[in-house]
Amino acid sequence: MINFSGQTIEEKEIIDFLKRETLFKEICQKILHRRIIAQVAQEKNITVTPEEIQTEADSIRYGQRLEKASDTLNWLKEQMITSEDWEAGLRDRLLAKKLSEHLFAAEVDKYFAQHRADFEQFILYQIILPYEQLAWEVYYQLEEEEISFYEAAHLYDIDERRRLQCGYQGKVNHRSLKADIAPVVFGATIGEIVGPLSTEQGYHLFMIEAVIPPELTPKRREEILNQLFQDWLEGELNHLLYHTL
């Protein structure tokens, strides 16, 4: 039984809620992931020291602006956890991070090289028009340089946000567009008008303003490392469940 601000909640109520919200499977998977991490870390003699936990806790306190010990205790009380619960959670996260680095840190460069095209980005502009005839009229105006792409987007795009931003769609990659459209758009040269291409949204005109070459930044390295680790976890979980059946 759990006491929440004077109200009692039975553990069965929590389980029933998770099931009704279709979150039960996800929670069970996370619990099994934690078991797998703990087991493999033990096999590989990977541990988390009290000093590492303290450093991580200090970092979180700084981010939460918990300057005093009493501030931290009040925050933990609001989260309905003890300091021991918090430290256990920090230990789990640090252990997962150390295990992922142990298993896959050396694989990041190779993965990046093999999937380099996936990390290429484009500064993309587009105009979506409601009718095919209008789309072709605008296309020919652009081809004849009677109007710029930015002006056309500001005048004709069906989306208010893009009109205000003169067609700016943002920094995108190959996976940002539908599979049948992406090769056509991203295969164009800079400044080339692509379209009209029809979708359920309307008739699209695209223009790539610039190409951003892929770069293995610290943030991207962390993203790749996390992806490799999550893929490995899913594989280990499937293997565990298969041999349990």
Side-chain angles (χ1 to χ4, degrees):
M1 185 179 297
I2 296 170
N3 186 294
F4 181 74
S5 299
Q7 296 293 318
T8 58
I9 302 175
E10 299 287 344
E11 293 179 4
K12 185 179 182 302
E13 287 183 80
I14 297 175
I15 294 174
D16 288 342
F17 174 83
L18 292 174
K19 289 180 177 179
R20 292 175 184 179
E21 295 294 317
T22 64
L23 295 171
F24 189 67
K25 179 181 177 181
E26 179 184 346
I27 297 300
C28 290
Q29 287 176 329
K30 288 184 177 182
I31 292 171
L32 293 177
H33 283 168
R34 188 173 66 180
R35 286 187 191 175
I36 292 167
I37 291 169
Q39 179 180 343
V40 177
Q42 184 178 23
E43 292 171 357
K44 297 184 177 298
N45 295 317
I46 297 173
T47 59
V48 176
T49 66
E51 291 75 19
E52 290 170 326
I53 295 174
Q54 185 64 51
T55 299
E56 183 70 10
D58 290 342
S59 176
I60 294 174
R61 288 191 189 97
Y62 179 80
Q64 296 282 346
R65 297 182 179 180
L66 304 174
E67 299 177 0
K68 306 174 185 176
S70 58
D71 294 334
T72 302
L73 292 174
N74 289 333
W75 177 73
L76 291 173
K77 186 177 180 180
E78 289 175 1
Q79 306 306 312
M80 298 176 61
I81 60 175
T82 66
S83 58
E84 290 78 13
D85 296 329
W86 187 39
E87 290 179 7
L90 295 177
R91 184 182 297 106
D92 288 343
R93 289 193 287 276
L94 289 171
L95 190 63
K97 183 178 180 181
K98 293 180 79 170
L99 180 59
S100 68
E101 290 172 349
H102 176 84
L103 293 175
F104 299 109
E107 300 294 321
V108 172
D109 289 323
K110 179 181 177 182
Y111 182 93
F112 179 76
Q114 291 176 340
H115 299 83
R116 190 176 183 85
D118 293 340
F119 299 104
E120 190 173 42
Q121 289 186 303
F122 304 84
I123 305 295
L124 182 67
Y125 283 73
Q126 77 161 315
I127 308 169
I128 303 180
L129 302 124
Y131 311 114
E132 183 176 11
Q133 182 179 350
L134 177 59
W136 281 110
E137 288 176 3
V138 173
Y139 174 81
Y140 290 128
Q141 289 180 41
L142 294 170
E143 285 290 287
E144 296 297 324
E145 297 184 357
E146 297 175 4
I147 191 172
S148 73
F149 196 96
Y150 314 108
E151 291 171 323
H154 186 66
L155 290 173
Y156 298 112
D157 199 299
I158 63 174
D159 181 74
E160 182 180 6
R161 181 195 66 81
R162 268 196 312 275
R163 284 201 307 273
L164 294 174
Q165 297 185 351
C166 298
Y168 179 68
Q169 187 66 35
K171 292 181 181 179
V172 300
N173 57 33
H174 287 272
R175 291 169 291 185
S176 300
L177 299 179
K178 290 186 175 182
D180 57 336
I181 292 179
V184 181
V185 176
F186 298 129
T189 58
I190 293 176
E192 179 182 353
I193 308 301
V194 177
L197 300 176
S198 176
T199 73
E200 67 278 0
Q201 293 177 287
Y203 295 86
H204 302 246
L205 297 173
F206 295 95
M207 182 187 71
I208 294 173
E209 186 181 69
V211 179
I212 304 172
E215 182 181 357
L216 188 55
T217 61
K219 181 180 179 181
R220 181 158 289 157
R221 179 179 290 277
E222 184 178 353
E223 290 172 353
I224 293 173
L225 185 64
N226 289 338
Q227 184 61 56
L228 292 172
F229 186 59
Q230 290 303 317
D231 290 345
W232 171 80
L233 265 180
E234 288 303 313
E236 291 295 304
L237 178 58
N238 290 336
H239 178 76
L240 175 65
L241 296 178
Y242 175 80
H243 285 279
T244 303
L245 295 176

